[in-house]
Amino acid sequence: MKQLEVQNFNLKYTLECGQFFRYRFDSYTGFYYVQSRDKVFKIRQTNDSILEYKGATEKFIIDLLGIDFDYNSMLKCVTKDKHVRRAVKEFNGLRLMRQDPWECSVSYICSAASNIPKIQLNLELLSKNFGNLKKFDGKEFFTFPKPGEIDCYDTVRDCKAGFRSKYLIELNKKDAKFFSGLKKMKYLDAKKELMTIPGIGSKVADCICLFSLDIGEAFPIDVWIRRIMLELYFGNDESVKDKEILEFAWKKWGKYAGYAQEFLYILAREK
DNA sequence: CCGCAGGCCCCAC
DNA sequence: GTGGGGCCTGCG
């Protein structure tokens, strides 16, 4: 077992806030089994500053969990707002992860009109059907398929993807180059490019930008965020358009809008 | 007067 | 959530 010292990091908030789906918690040992790409490792937080892990390199974990992100600069910006400050007080240590863009795109296409347990099921079934068996710590896991490998419509249907199946088949036609290319693009270019794919609209594109492309100004607006933004900043005026909310967020939080979004999101969800 | 871009609503998927 | 059809508006 290896150890890693951290500050301003909370494993539970980071894994369970809704940005990421491929983890299972073992309540007996307190370990989370985390999967990304073809990797699987286990990790737990023993106190505020210590992570114990096995199965991956320190570098991989630091990158995936966003541990090397300059958290204090972000906090300095977003806590100027009293509502975000309140959320930070309660959920300090929540980090944005750096997921694989392809895997993240599959996840968020599955997220349309769905819920977390269902998305987790979809991803597990896709891995089981198109990925490879991988044993770790005496348990069975399946690696995530690569672009091009989710290539059978009927099988995708069997993964309970429903009407999203045809979108996944279309997404699967993009190659690894496409996804690495996205990482080099500016926010609006990446978002526009993503939105050419069927099944990816404004919200899903922003999720992919924020959770896998290191684009901090992305601000995904779902019903929860819309509701709390209207309540906190627009006097509950239902006529306000999402575009207006977006511009407000960019003006207020700039490149940290995505972090502000995450904090407001958990605030909205806990009510 | 007509044709089309753009916004909005609605509902199947 | 997204896409696409229907419908209305504004402008050339």
Side-chain angles (χ1 to χ4, degrees), chain A residues 212-256:
Chain A
S212 74
L213 300 179
D214 249 318
I215 294 174
E217 62 265 51
F219 192 88
I221 299 179
D222 66 358
V223 290
W224 294 95
I225 284 297
R226 179 174 165 79
R227 190 177 301 157
I228 197 161
M229 288 297 286
L230 290 187
E231 180 193 332
L232 299 179
Y233 308 109
F234 295 91
N236 273 326
D237 178 359
E238 291 286 350
S239 72
V240 173
K241 304 286 170 282
D242 285 356
K243 188 168 187 291
E244 206 174 326
I245 297 175
L246 270 179
E247 277 155 11
F248 174 87
W250 291 333
K251 188 164 291 179
K252 196 172 175 66
W253 297 300
K255 64 175 176 172
Y256 299 122

Side-chain angles (χ1 to χ4, degrees), chain A residues 101-270:
Chain A
W102 146 255
E103 200 169 317
C104 190
S105 300
V106 171
S107 304
Y108 280 91
I109 281 177
C110 289
S111 78
S114 190
N115 55 63
I116 292 172
K118 172 84 189 302
I119 300 164
Q120 289 177 328
L121 176 67
N122 291 150
L123 297 177
E124 182 144 342
L125 290 172
L126 287 166
S127 300
K128 199 166 283 183
N129 279 285
F130 298 105
N132 300 115
L133 176 64
K134 178 158 185 160
K135 290 197 175 158
F136 172 71
D137 216 34
K139 300 172 193 295
E140 288 196 346
F141 297 88
F142 290 88
T143 63
F144 201 77
K146 292 179 168 49
E149 293 181 344
I150 300 183
D151 55 2
C152 173
Y153 177 81
D154 290 335
T155 309
V156 175
R157 276 254 157 202
D158 292 342
C159 295
K160 308 190 188 299
F163 67 88
R164 307 158 195 85
S165 302
K166 57 180 181 293
Y167 301 148
L168 293 175
I169 291 293
E170 284 307 306
L171 180 74
N172 184 61
K173 292 177 182 168
K174 302 289 185 186
D175 59 11
K177 264 269 175 49
F178 174 82
F179 295 100
S180 54
L182 287 175
K183 282 195 174 181
K184 302 183 185 83
M185 298 170 72
K186 297 272 185 231
Y187 173 40
L188 264 5
D189 291 331
K191 183 169 179 178
K192 198 198 298 175
E193 186 69 30
L194 283 164
M195 287 177 68
T196 64
I197 298 166
I200 299 183
S202 179
K203 190 270 182 184
V204 168
D206 273 335
C207 286
I208 299 167
C209 287
L210 186 61
F211 302 141
S212 74
L213 300 179
D214 249 318
I215 294 174
E217 62 265 51
F219 192 88
I221 299 179
D222 66 358
V223 290
W224 294 95
I225 284 297
R226 179 174 165 79
R227 190 177 301 157
I228 197 161
M229 288 297 286
L230 290 187
E231 180 193 332
L232 299 179
Y233 308 109
F234 295 91
N236 273 326
D237 178 359
E238 291 286 350
S239 72
V240 173
K241 304 286 170 282
D242 285 356
K243 188 168 187 291
E244 206 174 326
I245 297 175
L246 270 179
E247 277 155 11
F248 174 87
W250 291 333
K251 188 164 291 179
K252 196 172 175 66
W253 297 300
K255 64 175 176 172
Y256 299 122
Y259 259 103
Q261 191 269 10
E262 283 303 293
F263 284 117
L264 292 173
Y265 181 77
I266 23 178
L267 213 51
R269 291 300 302 247
E270 75 171 346

Side-chain angles (χ1 to χ4, degrees), chain A residues 3-153:
Chain A
Q3 288 203 167
L4 173 58
E5 197 176 329
V6 290
Q7 283 176 51
N8 283 146
F9 180 84
N10 183 292
L11 184 64
K12 181 182 170 67
Y13 300 156
T14 300
L15 291 176
E16 297 188 13
C17 70
Q19 64 178 319
F20 180 73
F21 308 98
R22 294 221 298 150
Y23 67 87
R24 350 176 171 158
F25 181 63
D26 181 342
S27 57
Y28 187 67
T29 62
F31 275 104
Y32 286 92
Y33 288 84
V34 177
Q35 290 189 263
S36 178
R37 304 189 178 88
D38 56 351
K39 306 285 196 294
V40 50
F41 63 91
K42 64 176 186 176
I43 186 166
R44 70 179 173 191
Q45 185 156 21
T46 50
N47 63 49
D48 283 352
S49 64
I50 299 292
L51 295 177
E52 288 182 358
Y53 65 96
K54 183 185 159 191
T57 65
E58 178 176 292
K59 184 171 181 290
F60 184 84
I61 288 172
I62 286 175
D63 181 61
L64 180 69
L65 300 179
I67 291 171
D68 55 348
F69 177 79
D70 182 356
Y71 207 73
N72 287 324
S73 297
M74 177 278 293
L75 285 184
K76 203 169 162 186
C77 169
V78 300
T79 56
K80 285 174 187 158
D81 178 272
K82 64 175 177 182
H83 305 296
V84 177
R85 192 161 60 237
R86 180 159 57 92
V88 166
K89 215 167 181 177
E90 191 167 353
F91 299 101
N92 183 253
L94 165 66
R95 300 268 174 160
L96 285 172
M97 292 176 62
R98 297 194 192 95
Q99 302 180 44
D100 174 69
W102 146 255
E103 200 169 317
C104 190
S105 300
V106 171
S107 304
Y108 280 91
I109 281 177
C110 289
S111 78
S114 190
N115 55 63
I116 292 172
K118 172 84 189 302
I119 300 164
Q120 289 177 328
L121 176 67
N122 291 150
L123 297 177
E124 182 144 342
L125 290 172
L126 287 166
S127 300
K128 199 166 283 183
N129 279 285
F130 298 105
N132 300 115
L133 176 64
K134 178 158 185 160
K135 290 197 175 158
F136 172 71
D137 216 34
K139 300 172 193 295
E140 288 196 346
F141 297 88
F142 290 88
T143 63
F144 201 77
K146 292 179 168 49
E149 293 181 344
I150 300 183
D151 55 2
C152 173
Y153 177 81

